[in-house]
Amino acid sequence: MSHPPFLSAFNLTAGREQGHITHPRAYLELNIIEMASSSMIPNTELTRDSKRRRKKKSQLRQQEDQSRPKWKSQAQQQIYSSKLRQALARLNMGSPPRPGKAVREAADRVLAVTAKGRTRWSRAILTNRLKLKFIKHKRQRPPTRSKKPRLSVYRLKGKGSPAVQRKVKFLGRLVPGCRKEPLPVILEEAIDYIPALEMQVRAMSALFNLLSSSSSSSSSSSSSSAAASTSTPPSS
Amino acid sequence: MSTRRSRGSTRISDDQIIELVSKLRQLVPEIRNRRSDKVSASKVLQETCNYIRSLHREVSDLSERLSQLLTTIDADSAEAGIIRSLLNQ
């Protein structure tokens, strides 16, 4: 495909041609919550932040900032939350055999999209999903550094013991897309991946609290109103 | 300190590795709260693996709960709830 993988993934999920029938209730609820919470953020802050980011794009010095989205910032979390809500609203509730897994995959995919594909793990998440969806046979990943697969891990002074190597391999398996990368790459990816995961946890728990509080308040109000109506004795 | 470079590599120096490891050390809360001087690279890697695994577990757990919540929201019949959530924000 001519498009970069993460862009195609984004287009596919953003389009309506996927044919998922969303439950109107969940869709409505998620949309309204999204509108409500986005109104909380002063618009100026978001636009200022994005304008600043666009201006900085041209400067070389700010490329470091640009290449690593700040996962700690509230703006990033809001971006992720809104995209996650949209993705969850489009999910077909209850139709996949394990809806929890579908939510997890959607959350990971949205996280990777939010990363804008600048890191290996985000690209790996998106390409893996594309592969599973469209390509029946496993396509061989183009070996980027076939000349030195693991030697650079061995040769590092003081860090070449087999125990350390085992841990490095393990870490490489944990971070998506880093199975065959040398040590410094794995470290760099992990340095970006961990704050992203933390932000994902924060955003998802906030969303969970929001939804559970709204649903519990609605259910409690309906039950209390029902109780009130039944408790009043019917006047004859 | 003599640094051995692997042949054909892109000049990965030990200092770079040390810097990356120290950055990683800052991220993992286990290590951050201890005395940071005496933490070996092996320990950092181990704690990093554990931390990433625990984060993965949290995400899985949260997504399970979210999925259950979303299915139960579908079962609820409360327009009032939706409006209330709008008002609460």
Side-chain angles (χ1 to χ4, degrees):
Chain A
M1 35 189 101
S2 52
H3 301 288
F6 62 90
L7 273 183
S8 342
F10 192 59
N11 284 334
L12 283 169
T13 54
R16 302 268 179 236
E17 60 266 3
Q18 254 189 331
H20 278 171
I21 305 169
T22 64
H23 194 283
R25 184 74 61 216
Y27 190 66
L28 194 59
E29 177 116 7
L30 284 168
N31 271 335
I32 290 192
I33 290 180
E34 174 189 337
M35 285 191 318
S37 59
S38 63
S39 64
M40 264 169 43
I41 311 167
N43 270 330
T44 52
E45 178 185 324
L46 271 183
T47 50
R48 201 180 342 123
D49 210 2
S50 54
K51 270 188 199 156
R52 210 185 322 140
R53 284 217 192 107
R54 267 186 235 126
K55 260 190 230 162
K56 281 186 181 177
K57 239 183 185 168
S58 51
Q59 295 178 24
L60 201 63
R61 196 174 74 88
Q62 307 300 338
Q63 224 156 22
E64 177 70 27
D65 258 356
Q66 199 55 32
S67 62
R68 299 293 163 89
K70 298 287 186 201
W71 295 110
K72 277 198 172 318
S73 70
Q74 193 63 19
Q76 273 293 343
Q77 193 168 332
Q78 290 298 335
I79 293 174
Y80 178 71
S81 296
S82 60
K83 286 194 175 145
L84 181 61
R85 276 187 227 109
Q86 288 168 20
L88 288 180
R90 279 194 298 268
L91 274 186
N92 196 351
M93 288 305 148
S95 95
R98 295 249 338 261
K101 198 161 188 311
V103 171
R104 168 88 201 264
E105 286 176 359
D108 285 343
R109 185 185 64 229
V110 174
L111 188 66
V113 167
T114 311
K116 297 205 175 72
R118 285 191 193 87
T119 47
R120 272 185 189 76
W121 59 264
S122 57
R123 290 193 292 267
I125 289 179
L126 295 171
T127 53
N128 280 341
R129 292 182 52 80
L130 278 183
K131 279 185 195 172
L132 287 174
K133 263 190 175 181
F134 296 109
I135 301 174
K136 305 284 175 163
H137 58 274
K138 279 233 168 155
R139 203 174 46 183
Q140 198 69 345
R141 281 183 63 203
T144 50
R145 296 179 219 176
S146 50
K147 297 284 191 262
K148 51 166 184 86
R150 288 180 199 113
L151 284 182
S152 44
V153 176
Y154 292 147
R155 294 292 185 100
L156 295 166
K157 183 180 145 191
K159 301 186 171 50
S161 72
V164 173
Q165 280 161 29
R166 234 178 324 151
K167 295 192 170 72
V168 170
K169 271 185 91 165
F170 212 75
L171 189 58
R173 278 206 296 266
L174 277 181
V175 180
C178 292
R179 273 176 205 236
K180 291 190 184 160
E181 305 289 344
L183 175 63
V185 172
I186 295 182
L187 290 182
E188 275 197 57
E189 292 291 315
I191 286 174
D192 190 65
Y193 189 51
I194 289 179
L197 278 182
E198 288 170 347
M199 187 213 72
Q200 187 179 24
V201 165
R202 281 198 301 269
M204 285 176 75
S205 43
L207 185 60
F208 180 77
N209 291 334
L210 203 61
L211 283 179
S212 66
S213 66
S214 70
S215 72
S216 68
S217 63
S218 69
S219 59
S220 64
S221 71
S222 58
S223 60
S224 64
S225 61
S229 59
T230 51
S231 64
T232 53
S235 54
S236 55
Chain B
M1 226 193 288
S2 62
T3 56
R4 265 180 290 163
R5 303 248 169 93
S6 55
R7 207 167 291 172
S9 77
T10 54
R11 302 302 174 128
I12 303 165
S13 67
D14 277 353
D15 294 336
Q16 199 179 347
I17 300 282
I18 291 175
E19 188 189 324
L20 287 177
V21 169
S22 67
K23 265 200 229 167
L24 203 51
R25 205 185 285 169
Q26 298 301 317
L27 289 176
V28 178
E30 276 280 317
I31 303 179
R32 203 171 45 207
N33 299 335
R34 298 188 202 168
R35 266 192 321 158
S36 60
D37 282 351
K38 299 212 172 189
V39 183
S40 70
S42 156
K43 184 82 175 163
V44 172
L45 288 175
Q46 183 68 45
E47 292 300 327
T48 306
C49 290
N50 295 340
Y51 189 51
I52 292 185
R53 261 190 303 185
S54 75
L55 284 176
H56 278 171
R57 272 199 303 263
E58 267 198 75
V59 171
S60 297
D61 181 52
L62 273 173
S63 46
E64 284 287 338
R65 288 197 277 167
L66 262 179
S67 65
Q68 284 169 10
L69 195 59
L70 286 171
T71 49
T72 55
I73 282 181
D74 294 352
D76 270 348
S77 66
E79 267 100 1
I82 297 176
I83 297 175
R84 189 168 300 110
S85 64
L86 173 63
L87 290 175
N88 283 341
Q89 305 309 316

